[in-house]
Amino acid sequence: MIKVAGRPESLTDKQMHYCPGCTHGIIHRLVAEVMDELGIREKTIGVAPVGCSVLAYEYFNCDMHEAAHGRAPAVATGIKRVLPDKVVFTYQGDGDLASIGTAEIVHAANRGEKITTIFVNNAIYGMTGGQMAPTTLLGQKATTAPYGRDAEKAGYPIRVSEMLSTLTGVAYIARVSVHNPQHIRKAKKAIKKAFETQLEGKGFSLVEVLSTCPTNWGLTPIEALKWLEENMIPYYPLGEFKTPEEVE
Amino acid sequence: MGERILMKGNEAIGEAAIKAGCRYFFGYPITPQNELPEYMSRRLPEVGGVFLQAESEVAAINMVYGAAGAGARVMTSSSSPGISLKMEGISYIAGADLPCVIVNIVRGGPGLGGIQPAQSDYFQATKGGGHGDYHMVVLAPSSIQEAVDLVMEAFDIADQYRVPVMVIGDGMIGQMMEPVEFKEPPKRDLPAKDWITDGCKGRKPNVINSLSLQPEKLEEMNWNRYKRYEKIKENEVKVETINMEDAEIALVAYGTTSRICFSAMETLREEGYKVGLIRPITLWPFPTETISKAADNVKAFLTVEMSTGQMVEDVRLAVNGKVPVHFYGRTGGMVPSPDEIIEQVKALGGGK
Ligand SMILES: Cc1ncc(C[n+]2csc(CCOP(=O)(O)OP(=O)(O)O)c2C)c(N)n1
Ligand code: SF4
């Protein structure tokens, strides 16, 4: 076997359980590379969500704390208040963060908790089998929206980054995507900036990462990347919504 | 320590926690326990601690979950409807084997209920409340001094067994003023917290978790935890018995109702009635043995509660049919008077 790239130290060598073509794995890797580059592995505590990434605590090679569905920002708050000199991040799906845990993320952000949230938006509930998420696009089919999401009945897909960036306690918010190498590089830069924001004690930071769920979207991995680009990005525009420079 | 000061129950509980080394408090307002978070918001910054008013009870208990995982002595408090919301987090805390202290100043329910004293959260506190096979240690003080002593010990019990400990009171305990003295709890051998998540420098990463997808594994974990509960049952039962040596009727009551039963008993004794009092201090583990032994000597039990009858079930289990177990309850925030209890005892023949 030819070694193309080494595994970041901040990842364990456990084989990930994600479906083929799922971009959760890429996002894990980006977070781990950033932790390596910032040299923070031994002072980081990650908070794992409930969702497909529920086993994130087996993959990140740092102290990890598993949270109840949606409560990761509250758990992270508790950890960070006890350990203000350590780095604390949450890794959360869209069901976790934008549905059951809406209150927790809004208030952690609003308090300016010095934590970093990696928000994986795949527009669906992956783990429980493809039900509608708050981020499911209009017209998009899900097992609980068999005719496609209808705004009249199910409301509109939530733009979390835009919503949270209105809060004063927030220091950094960006939305990125991982559908091609160029965007993956940009995603990593944003994740790094989010962690740096925390290290500099500036306030709450969040990176929303548009991600695929080929399994529940009913698409091949390649089709899924294309679907993300063509359907998600127009509704969920990429970019930085708030930066520490603006705050200062 | 050593000096006696007059304090309100809720505030005394807060001070006891601080004296026990609690430096983190996460809570959300609800009557009748508000003086406790208010006190903590004043005092914790003075001792280098952190008070945070969470956005909800759900968030508060999950902050406790995080702080406990990070190795801190941490407390939250609430009253009945808020405790219901905390049950999710308590189940996770129990599942992840973390220590913390939760104060429940119980009010009448169900639903929004009222704000007057009640004991109707007994089932919720002692039988689970949240999902899954778990227990909390539940301590029920009947005076402010005892509340202080038990809160201080609660942190040690939590640390020793890695379990959540609930201190349960009601509006009377929370609002009443009594002189208190802060005494060190008996020394315990507390295990090192080598499992905490505070950054993995110089060691392998730690994981705090309650997920176990393999049934065999989860079953093993649950039985292991159960063994710890058995140890708690062996070591931690607290109960007070008064006038039980010659009693023919045994009153059983905890917290506020035990004080009322005590007054009733004194009056009845003056009139020549052979009445005793068994006062569970730990509601879980329940003083089953004390009650079972008493059942060999008394003619009947009368359990008195501010509920429609919750603890009485545990009393009946302990008595196991040996003698009748009667029940007298007031609910909805109504507090029984000594006269009501005297009347009940006399109706039972009174043991004269
Ligand atoms: C209180 C509670 N409600 C529901 C569930 C079931 N559940 C597990 S994962 C999940 C949805 C996760 O979706 P998302 O956060 O979008 O993550 P994904 O799986 O798509 O990565 C739900 C509803 C749960 N575990 N706990
Ligand atoms: S179900 Fe979807 S989100 Fe979950 S691992 Fe599979 S592809 Fe990824």
Side-chain angles (χ1 to χ4, degrees):
Chain A
M1 204 160 68
I2 303 162
K3 193 167 173 180
V4 180
R7 190 176 266 274
E9 200 194 351
S10 295
L11 281 185
T12 63
D13 51 19
K14 190 128 189 161
Q15 175 143 20
M16 292 185 196
H17 70 285
Y18 299 110
C19 307
C22 175
T23 41
H24 260 306
I26 297 176
I27 303 165
H28 278 23
R29 191 183 168 100
L30 294 181
V31 173
E33 285 177 0
V34 165
M35 280 164 63
D36 280 7
E37 285 170 25
L38 295 172
I40 55 173
R41 184 182 76 85
E42 292 184 327
K43 59 181 270 192
T44 295
I45 299 101
V47 183
V50 168
C52 279
S53 45
V54 68
L55 298 177
Y57 57 80
E58 295 199 347
Y59 307 143
F60 287 109
N61 187 21
C62 63
D63 275 6
M64 293 292 293
H65 190 133
E66 170 62 27
H69 195 29
R71 317 296 175 223
V75 173
T77 297
I79 300 170
K80 185 74 182 190
R81 293 297 180 114
V82 174
L83 306 166
D85 299 332
K86 302 286 162 80
V87 177
V88 180
F89 76 92
T90 71
Y91 187 103
Q92 302 177 258
D94 46 78
D96 194 80
L97 180 143
S99 195
I100 189 168
T102 329
E104 284 78 6
I105 195 65
V106 167
H107 289 278
N110 190 50
R111 283 190 303 268
E113 283 312 330
K114 294 174 185 67
I115 61 172
T116 298
T117 293
I118 308 300
F119 169 40
V120 181
N121 179 358
N122 59 12
I124 206 150
Y125 282 20
M127 189 191 217
T128 41
Q131 296 85 3
M132 188 186 72
T135 47
T136 295
L137 296 175
L138 291 181
Q140 185 187 338
K141 285 189 177 165
T143 58
T144 49
Y147 310 110
R149 183 178 187 158
D150 172 1
E152 191 65 36
K153 295 182 186 122
Y156 296 86
I158 294 181
R159 292 187 179 100
V160 168
S161 290
E162 285 84 340
M163 180 176 76
L164 293 182
S165 58
T166 65
L167 301 171
T168 312
V170 170
Y172 182 67
I173 291 203
R175 186 185 287 123
V176 297
S177 171
V178 288
H179 67 280
N180 67 30
Q182 182 208 347
H183 278 90
I184 290 173
R185 275 195 298 277
K186 278 195 182 162
K188 183 170 163 185
K189 264 178 106 167
I191 292 170
K192 194 163 185 178
K193 193 157 171 185
F195 275 96
E196 282 167 348
T197 301
Q198 179 178 172
L199 283 164
E200 288 157 15
K202 290 196 167 141
F204 178 81
S205 55
L206 176 143
V207 179
E208 174 174 347
V209 188
L210 301 184
S211 183
T212 62
C213 180
T215 303
N216 288 301
W217 292 354
L219 300 173
T220 66
I222 303 286
E223 287 167 349
L225 294 170
K226 199 154 169 265
W227 191 90
L228 185 165
E229 184 178 10
E230 289 173 358
N231 296 278
M232 287 182 77
I233 295 178
Y235 190 85
Y236 296 115
L238 306 181
E240 291 183 325
F241 292 87
K242 195 162 184 189
T243 62
E245 295 78 52
E246 267 173 70
V247 180
E248 272 154 16
Chain B
M1 302 203 187
E3 155 204 17
R4 277 163 75 79
I5 25 179
L6 191 66
M7 280 187 97
K8 201 174 196 178
N10 281 331
E11 301 193 335
I13 288 172
E15 188 57 34
I18 290 171
K19 292 255 175 359
C22 169
R23 289 294 175 273
Y24 300 89
F25 184 97
F26 303 95
Y28 187 83
I30 183 168
T31 308
Q33 59 84 55
N34 290 325
E35 297 83 0
L36 178 42
E38 283 165 3
Y39 185 83
M40 296 307 254
S41 72
R42 254 192 339 267
R43 278 287 282 136
L44 277 170
E46 292 175 1
V47 294
V50 174
F51 165 86
L52 180 57
Q53 183 171 319
E55 63 270 27
S56 68
E57 288 86 351
V58 177
I61 192 71
N62 280 285
M63 290 171 186
V64 168
Y65 182 32
R73 280 205 156 176
V74 54
M75 182 164 99
T76 186
S77 67
S78 191
S79 180
S80 311
I83 295 290
S84 291
L85 285 176
K86 286 188 201 291
M87 281 299 160
E88 174 196 76
I90 294 173
S91 167
Y92 278 77
I93 289 169
D97 299 319
L98 295 183
C100 71
V101 175
I102 302 142
V103 176
N104 183 4
I105 302 296
V106 182
R107 62 188 240 184
L112 205 42
I115 58 168
Q116 300 302 323
Q119 296 181 318
S120 43
D121 293 359
Y122 180 92
F123 281 156
Q124 188 196 45
T126 62
K127 311 290 178 199
H131 60 283
D133 273 323
Y134 80 92
H135 279 290
M136 284 187 277
V137 173
V138 184
L139 308 171
S142 69
S143 68
I144 311 301
Q145 180 62 57
E146 194 175 35
V148 159
D149 296 342
L150 290 178
V151 165
M152 293 181 82
E153 205 179 343
F155 284 95
D156 283 354
I157 295 173
D159 278 347
Q160 181 172 343
Y161 300 99
R162 289 175 65 181
V163 291
V165 177
M166 178 174 277
V167 177
I168 201 161
D170 58 48
M172 300 273 264
I173 300 287
Q175 305 290 331
M176 169 168 84
M177 286 185 92
E178 282 179 341
V180 291
E181 188 188 330
F182 294 93
K183 295 167 286 190
E184 293 273 358
K187 276 260 170 295
R188 285 173 188 251
D189 235 349
L190 299 181
K193 291 186 173 182
D194 52 5
W195 41 264
I196 66 173
T197 51
D198 63 346
C200 61
K201 199 167 173 60
R203 60 163 167 79
K204 280 203 167 128
N206 282 338
V207 175
I208 285 172
N209 180 30
S210 62
L211 178 71
S212 187
L213 291 171
Q214 295 157 319
E216 297 85 357
K217 193 89 191 284
L218 183 54
E219 180 175 52
E220 187 190 319
M221 282 163 57
N222 281 341
W223 282 121
N224 280 339
R225 195 171 300 116
Y226 182 82
K227 277 185 211 147
R228 209 157 3 111
Y229 295 150
E230 289 293 297
K231 272 223 174 78
I232 298 175
K233 285 189 201 168
E234 271 166 43
N235 300 336
E236 303 297 339
V237 172
K238 290 185 206 294
V239 56
E240 185 184 23
T241 55
I242 309 169
N243 289 338
M244 283 303 296
E245 302 73 25
D246 62 342
E248 294 189 3
I249 302 257
L251 295 168
V252 189
Y254 69 93
T256 295
T257 43
S258 70
R259 292 171 77 116
I260 302 161
C261 283
F262 183 82
S263 309
M265 179 186 67
E266 287 202 308
T267 309
L268 285 161
R269 279 272 167 184
E270 276 164 27
E271 293 178 24
Y273 291 96
K274 288 189 178 158
V275 182
L277 174 64
I278 301 178
R279 178 172 77 87
I281 300 170
T282 49
L283 302 185
W284 195 92
F286 192 70
T288 306
E289 231 177 270
T290 306
I291 290 174
S292 167
K293 280 194 186 132
D296 296 331
N297 302 312
V298 302
K299 290 194 178 131
F301 287 83
L302 174 65
T303 302
V304 181
E305 293 175 74
M306 292 191 288
S307 79
T308 55
Q310 300 196 7
M311 181 180 71
V312 64
E313 295 191 1
D314 284 336
V315 177
R316 288 207 172 107
L317 277 174
V319 170
N320 201 13
K322 286 187 220 168
V323 290
V325 176
H326 303 277
F327 172 71
Y328 182 69
R330 297 297 304 267
T331 171
M334 294 300 293
V335 179
S337 69
D339 286 346
E340 288 171 59
I341 294 160
I342 291 168
E343 199 182 311
Q344 294 293 318
V345 173
K346 287 185 176 171
L348 294 176
K352 201 168 184 176

